[in-house]
Amino acid sequence: RSLVLALGLSQTDACTVFAVGKKATKDGSVLVSHSDDGNALNDARLIHVPAADHPAGSKRPIFFTPENFPRYVGSAMGPGYQPSNETAGYPVFEPIGYIDQVSHTYGYQSGSYGVINEHGVAVGESTCGAMFGTCGANQTVGCEPGRKVGVALMSIDTLSYLAMERCTSSRQAVEMMGQLALQHGFYGPVDSFEGSGESLVVADPDEAWAFQILSDPTGTSAIWAAQRLPDDHMTVVANMYTIREVDANDKANFILSPNLFEVAKSKGWWKD
């Protein structure tokens, strides 16, 4: 089996993803696409991040992810992002925080988001409207009312890069991204014209998952849900969440953040 990834670039202002399961394609491939759209200032480069080994006890720096050119300047993501004539005049990025590093990270292709890694784990992204949003750690722009400085470390860009670095399957990627967002906080600016929530379609050569996430009401954690794409189905995500009903007892097809029902109940949006 194979994974086929299609990546499109254009000068519109929204992203659309589609995915197709392995029993809905002629050759048994899993398909995922991403129209990585944005304004003329977006960083459209495709840069390879090589595999690497890391000493025990080391930390993985987390950077704010602006998406405009350059999306990152520094040595933490390999030689393709080191200062060069192309990025002359731009400062080296400083971390907004750190998480524990793993002993080995996989090589992958990177754009505004992770694209595909050496194990065939791939993502497509689409921003979505959401009920909650917050700003990134140490940021003062795009914060929700009542907050002056952000504390959340994880953007969808960062989560996708970490999935590329650490995961060999789409299910593992969904679980890891969800856990990191819960622990370190997820940010999506409330002043974004597209919305403060995010959706990734995460695929590998065997299956695909929709992973949909937003900030929690405190601005310090996250709420998320993931649904497996049936093998004989296809899906489209176009700047709107597509997971409408969840079954917490169906562990094979749904993975949910532990606070999903609690937050909905506290807001009066759901009853037992």
Side-chain angles (χ1 to χ4, degrees):
R1 295 191 186 97
S2 63
L3 174 72
V4 179
L5 176 74
L7 181 67
L9 300 175
S10 66
Q11 290 192 10
T12 54
D13 291 323
C15 297
T16 302
V17 177
F18 79 78
V20 186
K22 62 186 178 183
K23 292 184 179 179
T25 60
K26 186 174 182 179
D27 65 355
S29 298
V30 176
L31 306 180
V32 61
S33 77
H34 177 194
S35 60
D36 190 2
D37 303 328
N39 62 46
L41 298 178
N42 277 26
D43 189 340
R45 294 175 299 167
L46 185 66
I47 298 178
H48 180 255
V49 179
D53 295 313
H54 308 280
S58 60
K59 296 291 184 179
R60 200 282 196 186
I62 303 297
F63 301 94
F64 183 71
T65 52
E67 296 186 4
N68 287 350
F69 180 88
R71 59 179 171 261
Y72 172 67
V73 180
S75 60
M77 294 179 67
Y81 283 101
Q82 290 181 356
S84 65
N85 290 337
E86 188 177 40
T87 57
Y90 292 96
V92 171
F93 283 33
E94 294 293 331
I96 60 172
Y98 296 86
I99 63 173
D100 291 339
Q101 182 60 284
V102 295
S103 60
H104 179 78
T105 50
Y106 305 122
Y108 65 98
Q109 295 292 342
S110 68
S112 295
Y113 314 94
V115 179
I116 188 168
N117 76 4
E118 63 185 85
H119 294 282
V121 178
V123 302
E125 179 273 347
S126 186
T127 304
C128 301
M131 297 301 295
F132 310 117
T134 192
C135 45
N138 305 324
Q139 302 298 308
T140 58
V141 177
C143 302
E144 70 275 29
R147 178 179 299 283
K148 294 183 178 180
V149 181
V151 298
L153 280 184
M154 298 293 163
S155 68
I156 201 65
D157 316 52
T158 297
L159 288 175
S160 71
Y161 295 150
L162 289 165
M164 298 293 98
E165 294 172 12
R166 301 182 176 201
C167 298
T168 59
S169 74
S170 55
R171 185 183 184 104
Q172 181 190 14
V174 164
E175 293 174 335
M176 185 216 68
M177 290 189 295
Q179 291 167 0
L180 289 175
L182 280 170
Q183 181 179 356
H184 299 286
F186 174 80
Y187 66 89
V190 296
D191 60 353
S192 168
F193 79 95
E194 295 173 302
S196 56
E198 285 286 354
S199 180
L200 294 179
V201 172
V202 190
D204 61 36
D206 190 56
E207 63 180 0
W209 288 78
F211 173 77
Q212 301 183 344
I213 187 170
L214 67 157
S215 307
D216 81 327
T218 71
T220 63
S221 187
I223 307 166
W224 57 272
Q227 182 175 6
R228 186 181 184 275
L229 177 67
D231 291 336
D232 59 351
H233 282 51
M234 64 89 65
T235 189
V236 176
V237 183
N239 300 116
M240 181 179 291
Y241 291 137
T242 56
I243 301 174
R244 298 299 180 177
E245 296 182 5
V246 298
D247 183 351
N249 296 316
D250 184 356
K251 306 297 185 182
N253 293 296
F254 291 94
I255 311 172
L256 309 173
S257 64
N259 59 350
L260 178 66
F261 295 101
E262 175 188 345
V263 172
K265 188 175 181 179
S266 71
K267 296 294 183 180
W269 300 330
W270 176 78
K271 296 181 180 179
D272 289 306

